[in-house]
Amino acid sequence: MTRIQVYEKSYGQERMEDAYAQLAGGLDVGALTSCPVELAAAAVKLMGAQSCGKCTPCRVGLAQLEALVEQVLDGTATREVLDLIAELAEVVATSSDCAVGYEAGAFVLTALKGFYDDFVSHIENGDCTADAFAPVPCVEGCPAHVDIPGYMALVQAGRYRDAIGLVRKDNPFAVACGLICEHPCELYCRRGMVDDVLNIRGIKRFAADHSDGDYQPPAAEPTGKRVAVVGSGPAGLTCAYYLALMGHSPVVFEQRERLGGMLRYGIPSYRLPREALDAEIAWLTSQGIETRLGTAVGTDVRLAELREEFDAVYLAFGAHSDNRLGIAGEDAAGVLSAVELLRAIGDEQLPDLSGKRVVVVGGGNVAMDCARSALRLGAESVTVAYRRRKLDMTAQTAEIEAAVAEGCKLLELHAPVSIDVSGQEVAGLVLQPQAIGEIAGGRAKPHAADAAPLTLACDLVVVAIGQRIDASSFESEGVELQRGMIVSTPKAEVPGMEGVYAGGDCVSGPLTVIRAVAAGKAAAASIDSYLGFDHRVSFDIEVPTAMFKGRAYCARSNMTEPAIETINGNFALVEAGLRPEEAAQESARCLRCDHFGRGAFRGGRSLQW
């Protein structure tokens, strides 16, 4: 018998790996409204099943911890039991020999501290403190609560115009979001437990691409109320659109000469073609939205004047100011902010970067947009410098991969320390190599490595480390700011200013389009109530009935970005949409959670809001 043998998986090991993969698929698909007590109990059971039994805290402690949490679930516990759970979980977490024990204990402590009221509610009432916001996981995962199962059924039925109409019940930017939405809804798609999550954004885009016209939403009778909306980005136009459907008369004030906000000035046309954006905005404004372009609120017209002229005011301007690196040489010619670059592209004043060596500093989607745009503007080379690792980048994985595929280089774990200047112009970017360290805020924190700085020769440095809000003119009129952003209540009210509301980037800081849409939608409902009404936005066309059918395993159909022969000057849309047969197959994969399972238990689809 040989001392060492070549490792080969047995049949049993292969089946166990399949079981682990199946279990992992279920864990990957979460739910925003899971019961924290049930989740804690399940975690203790799962981790206890993996215990080796060597140490007492894990072998005995987890079994006792599971029993105590089960008492909370079955209603036999008292509040004193919660103290026992906390004490036992602390002991298990601090004294177990390995990760199985201390991670299980830490999990229970986190759940107990974060959701103490839910534990108490289970003891006293037999359930959590609050029910789900939406009955369907993907709908709850969408910030705007779009009726995803409904429009999946309509696409499957070939009713693409109606599908877009249903999307616009909750999100007026059906076309734009079909192209650029971050699709957080897919994180909660239960189909991921079976094989792959649905391509929700791809289906939305397919419906938009193949619609035979725009569905006309039902609108209320005119109320005679006028509302000023400051900013024409997704938050502002969303609010204005729904106010118009509710019978009010919104007037949008935009300081630039074109509508769209960061949709136009923050997203290049190779991701969101200008003709598609213009067409969608034109349709939205045709629903009863008046616009005043080239009018800056705060300078051309004061907030106090708007409050006198209109029945309500909604502040929804975006993050159009840039963050600085704060390093030597940053004022040299050849240092450009991401805001400046993308704004010029949005205004179709394309800078000529022919032959230039470009370095983009940052790791978010904006940094990827700048890098890919620089290639299209003729740059000789583009390097993205980031102080963390590639896997810590906040940019979507698809955006990073696309940038690399087009020719951008990634230089991870390098932090800028100064800009090398020759005369008055950029000659290079001085970077300090970084080493990865402790985890803070969910990401590994870098620190300066014991290595000499290096100089990366370049002609242009694009700073893409985030945008900030400029609300100083509103602060002088009494609007409360916190960390430079407007303070507002969950109902979008600005404290101390009756009839003034705020939402979107000016309240939250730079976020995604779908989150701005959600903010505008919520503000419209609050303003409608403030004006003395209770209008409801609905969809007046029937959605196909859910049919229970055999669910065969089927892989997800993805959209692709075909190789581009000539990138220089090519700002055409790069992502190819789904083909008809792919869209039909993909929409048919929907499990219709609005009708079966949790959706049926919680009341099904929401028909209005």
Side-chain angles (χ1 to χ4, degrees), residues 168-229:
R168 283 182 171 152
K169 177 177 73 71
D170 299 285
N171 173 11
F173 287 97
V175 175
C177 284
L179 290 163
I180 51 86
C181 185
E182 63 166 343
H183 48 79
C185 51
E186 293 186 8
L187 294 173
Y188 307 99
C189 175
R190 293 292 174 91
R191 182 74 199 202
M193 295 183 179
V194 180
D195 35 52
D196 294 322
V197 300
L198 290 179
N199 190 341
I200 296 174
R201 180 175 71 86
I203 294 296
K204 187 189 296 105
R205 176 182 167 183
F206 180 87
D209 289 344
H210 294 80
S211 176
D212 58 356
D214 284 308
Y215 164 81
Q216 188 62 39
E221 293 295 323
T223 65
K225 301 293 185 180
R226 302 175 71 235
V227 181
V229 177

Side-chain angles (χ1 to χ4, degrees), residues 69-227:
V69 177
E70 287 293 343
Q71 287 181 32
V72 176
L73 283 174
D74 63 25
T76 61
T78 63
R79 287 205 180 201
E80 287 72 23
V81 170
L82 299 184
D83 296 331
L84 287 176
I85 291 174
E87 183 178 353
L88 179 56
E90 182 72 31
V91 170
V92 172
T94 56
S95 59
S96 294
D97 283 355
C98 74
V100 170
Y102 61 70
E103 285 296 330
F107 190 99
V108 173
L109 283 174
T110 299
L112 185 59
K113 292 177 181 178
F115 298 93
Y116 187 81
D117 290 344
D118 288 283
F119 278 77
V120 172
S121 181
H122 267 279
I123 292 173
E124 297 180 349
N125 306 314
D127 204 348
C128 290
T129 55
D131 203 349
F133 290 103
V136 184
C138 61
V139 176
E140 176 62 14
C142 172
H145 298 325
V146 173
D147 186 352
I148 294 167
Y151 78 74
M152 287 287 169
L154 289 167
V155 169
Q156 185 181 1
R159 295 163 54 188
Y160 309 131
R161 182 179 67 91
D162 292 341
I164 293 302
L166 182 56
V167 173
R168 283 182 171 152
K169 177 177 73 71
D170 299 285
N171 173 11
F173 287 97
V175 175
C177 284
L179 290 163
I180 51 86
C181 185
E182 63 166 343
H183 48 79
C185 51
E186 293 186 8
L187 294 173
Y188 307 99
C189 175
R190 293 292 174 91
R191 182 74 199 202
M193 295 183 179
V194 180
D195 35 52
D196 294 322
V197 300
L198 290 179
N199 190 341
I200 296 174
R201 180 175 71 86
I203 294 296
K204 187 189 296 105
R205 176 182 167 183
F206 180 87
D209 289 344
H210 294 80
S211 176
D212 58 356
D214 284 308
Y215 164 81
Q216 188 62 39
E221 293 295 323
T223 65
K225 301 293 185 180
R226 302 175 71 235
V227 181

Side-chain angles (χ1 to χ4, degrees), residues 262 317-323 339 366 465-469 485 504-513 515-516:
M262 295 307 287
F317 53 92
H320 291 277
S321 296
D322 54 85
N323 286 331
V339 171
V366 172
I465 58 171
Q467 297 81 50
R468 59 184 176 85
I469 312 300
M485 294 174 287
D505 289 357
C506 66
V507 169
S508 62
L511 288 177
T512 57
V513 171
R515 296 187 185 278

Side-chain angles (χ1 to χ4, degrees), residues 55 87 149 168 172 191 222 237-238 271 301 304 361 383 462 598:
C55 67
E87 183 178 353
R168 283 182 171 152
R191 182 74 199 202
L237 286 180
T238 295
R271 291 180 59 207
V301 59
V361 180
T383 302
V462 179
R598 179 181 174 86

Side-chain angles (χ1 to χ4, degrees), residues 334-355:
V335 179
L336 196 65
S337 74
V339 171
E340 292 175 295
L341 177 61
L342 296 176
R343 181 181 295 161
I345 295 172
D347 279 332
E348 300 182 359
Q349 299 173 356
L350 305 182
D352 184 7
L353 304 185
S354 298

